[in-house]
Amino acid sequence: RVVTELSIATPNGSKAMRYADVARLDASGNVVELAQIGRVNQNGTPVSREVRALNDIFSAIGIRADFYGYNHFGGPR
């Protein structure tokens, strides 16, 4: 099943709790896939707060989230 805004405890992270934008769970409720959506720099990489969130989540559960940028430069943000 797919859920949105899944809370993930990140006790050793830069924040104690993070929220994955989209998560796919197996039948037992374990996270098998994550996606984060956020702002990107001019070169297309995630801004620093997004990198910290991605790293906190990975450190907590060992799953690297796919990242999708929602803004681009030279047009609407």
Side-chain angles (χ1 to χ4, degrees), residues 5-59:
E5 293 297 318
L6 177 70
S7 61
I8 299 170
T10 56
N12 296 320
S14 60
K15 289 188 175 183
M17 183 74 67
R18 293 290 187 170
Y19 295 87
D21 292 324
V22 180
R24 188 167 59 87
L25 309 177
D26 64 13
S28 300
N30 298 313
V31 176
V32 294
E33 190 175 12
L34 295 171
Q36 284 292 97
I37 302 162
R39 293 187 65 89
V40 294
N41 292 314
Q42 197 164 5
N43 63 6
T45 60
V47 296
S48 59
R49 72 171 181 260
E50 301 291 355
V51 172
R52 285 191 302 273
L54 291 166
N55 289 338
D56 286 353
I57 291 169
F58 179 74
S59 294

Side-chain angles (χ1 to χ4, degrees), residues 59-76:
S59 294
I61 64 172
I63 295 175
R64 179 68 62 192
D66 293 325
F67 183 81
Y68 300 92
Y70 67 77
N71 67 308
H72 57 88
F73 290 84

